[in-house]
Amino acid sequence: TERMSRLLALHRENITAINASYVGKTVRVLCEQDKDEKGLYGGKTSGFKLVKFESENEDILGKFVDVKIDAFGESLLRGKAQ
């Protein structure tokens, strides 16, 4: 329906603005996923934001990592471990 389309468009705008506000910030991430095929680890912030990130340290699974956010998408943040 038209109403649902408008609501989804508004939601996308809001989530994009929220995720964009993280760029340049450092967030604490619990590393929950080992490196994927692109060499990125995965985890979540305390606010349950999904984060994919690079790390030179390989002993981080199950640990908290400070990640500087440098990019975002509709469903996740992207960055590099500090």
Side-chain angles (χ1 to χ4, degrees):
T1 67
E2 182 184 334
R3 181 175 183 269
M4 180 61 89
S5 296
R6 288 193 330 246
L7 284 173
L8 286 173
L10 181 59
H11 174 71
R12 282 190 198 98
E13 285 178 32
N14 289 338
I15 217 64
T16 298
I18 290 167
N19 287 350
S21 74
Y22 282 89
V23 174
K25 295 181 181 174
T26 299
V27 296
R28 191 170 171 106
V29 175
L30 176 60
C31 183
E32 300 174 315
Q33 297 173 346
D34 213 349
K35 275 187 185 178
D36 62 13
E37 64 279 351
K38 296 180 182 177
L40 299 174
Y41 291 91
K44 293 188 182 99
T45 67
S46 60
F48 301 102
K49 286 283 186 188
L50 180 61
V51 181
K52 290 288 192 174
F53 61 96
E54 301 170 29
S55 177
E56 294 177 11
N57 184 353
E58 295 187 358
D59 184 31
I60 59 173
L61 199 56
K63 297 180 181 175
F64 285 100
V65 181
D66 289 329
V67 177
K68 184 165 186 179
I69 303 302
D70 56 25
F72 68 94
E74 207 174 283
S75 62
L76 61 85
L77 304 173
R78 173 111 188 245
K80 182 168 176 126
Q82 299 297 289

